[in-house]
Amino acid sequence: MKDDIEVSAVIPVFNDVDSLKTAIPESIKTLEAVSGSFEIIVAEDGSTDGSRELVLDWEKKDCRVRLFHSDERLGRGRALNRAFEAAKGEIVCYYDVDLATDMSHLSELIGHIRDGADVSTGSRLLPSSDIVRTAGREVASRGYNLMVRLILKSRLFDHQCGFKAFNRDKVLKLIPDIKSGHWFWDTEALVIAQKRGYRVDEFAVKWRTGSGTTVRPKDVFSMGSSVLKLWWRLHAEKS
């Protein structure tokens, strides 16, 4: 593999072997149309369902696929940190293994960074977004994101969409200040990036609820309390 990689695509994985069977070939196909130089890093986080073995087989077939395995569960946020730090691309991105966000948007996601954005993020909550999910999840998502906007003064509409890209140098500077090791990572990264004056581009996406989602009610409650903790931390830093 050449070292002059433009795009590093990270796929966080925990017991997602069935989704991986689609995600890896679809990622290769889409990335080949987006960039002439890319790598796919599967951040496999303590899986026990054969995910690791599947990725190892892909590594043998295609040197652009890399496995990052952890014997112990790190949590989604820590797995992303680890993968970004090891990535070779000038642009790093990640998306959910269930491909809930339509992969046709990957070119736009990467394009924003090429055009000078420090961060780009897909949004399920803009007027032109095309989403399908249950009414309960829709209400919970809108309520959570409204809380982030009001309490943390974010100008973005959707903080938790698992479809984001970064200028690698800029995200590496963010990582030491991101304390969350799991689902709140996304929100924390976007809020801190805005506080630092980074250019953050948000754009509408087509999104469908994935079969492999692992967000549980207690995760939603935890993220709500994390909003308040982050507000206090940012407030204390100003003092």
Side-chain angles (χ1 to χ4, degrees), residues 1-230:
M1 184 188 299
K2 295 187 298 181
D3 288 332
D4 55 339
I5 302 295
E6 184 197 19
V7 177
S8 294
V10 177
I11 308 175
V13 166
F14 175 65
N15 286 341
D16 294 301
V17 66
D18 289 336
S19 294
L20 272 172
K21 291 174 183 176
T22 297
I24 293 178
E26 186 64 24
S27 295
I28 292 171
K29 174 185 172 184
T30 306
L31 284 161
E32 284 179 338
V34 171
S35 175
S37 180
F38 67 87
E39 63 177 352
I40 298 168
I41 300 175
V42 180
E44 185 273 300
D45 190 16
S47 297
T48 57
D49 68 341
S51 293
R52 176 175 179 268
E53 291 74 17
L54 177 68
V55 182
L56 285 172
D57 287 342
W58 269 101
E59 276 191 332
K60 296 172 185 176
K61 293 187 287 186
D62 193 324
C63 65
R64 297 171 297 184
V65 178
R66 299 171 61 193
L67 171 68
F68 259 60
H69 168 74
S70 173
D71 288 329
E72 297 181 2
R73 188 86 200 273
L74 297 173
R76 183 169 173 275
R78 293 187 187 93
L80 285 173
N81 290 344
R82 183 169 173 254
F84 287 163
E85 288 167 351
K88 299 177 181 179
E90 300 171 6
I91 299 170
V92 294
C93 68
Y94 74 92
Y95 44 85
D96 292 334
V97 67
D98 59 11
L99 306 185
T101 303
D102 196 297
M103 289 291 278
S104 64
H105 295 294
L106 191 61
S107 176
E108 185 174 4
L109 184 75
I110 300 302
H112 281 280
I113 307 300
R114 285 174 175 157
D115 291 342
D118 301 307
V119 183
S120 64
T121 181
S123 178
R124 301 161 295 182
L125 298 178
L126 291 172
S128 56
S129 300
D130 175 6
I131 69 169
V132 174
R133 62 179 166 187
T134 64
R137 290 193 65 178
E138 177 73 3
V139 170
S141 177
R142 289 188 180 276
Y144 170 78
N145 283 288
L146 179 61
M147 187 192 328
V148 175
R149 286 170 59 82
L150 291 176
I151 295 176
L152 297 177
K153 307 303 180 185
S154 173
R155 64 172 180 78
L156 305 174
F157 288 87
D158 186 0
H159 302 81
Q160 288 301 122
C161 183
F163 198 73
K164 293 178 171 62
F166 304 85
N167 174 299
R168 181 174 177 269
D169 289 342
K170 291 296 183 68
V171 76
L172 291 183
K173 293 176 182 177
L174 285 182
I175 285 175
D177 291 323
I178 300 174
K179 306 304 180 185
S180 173
H182 202 36
W183 290 105
F184 191 63
W185 189 98
D186 303 66
T187 297
E188 197 171 357
L190 292 180
V191 169
I192 294 174
Q194 291 176 84
K195 295 290 184 184
R196 291 194 180 178
Y198 284 12
R199 175 181 153 188
V200 182
D201 290 359
E202 182 179 28
F203 62 96
V205 296
K206 178 180 179 181
W207 187 91
R208 300 291 182 264
T209 300
S211 59
T213 182
T214 54
V215 180
R216 300 155 297 181
K218 72 174 185 178
D219 292 318
V220 175
F221 175 80
S222 175
M223 288 192 294
S225 61
S226 293
V227 169
L228 299 177
K229 291 177 182 177
L230 180 56

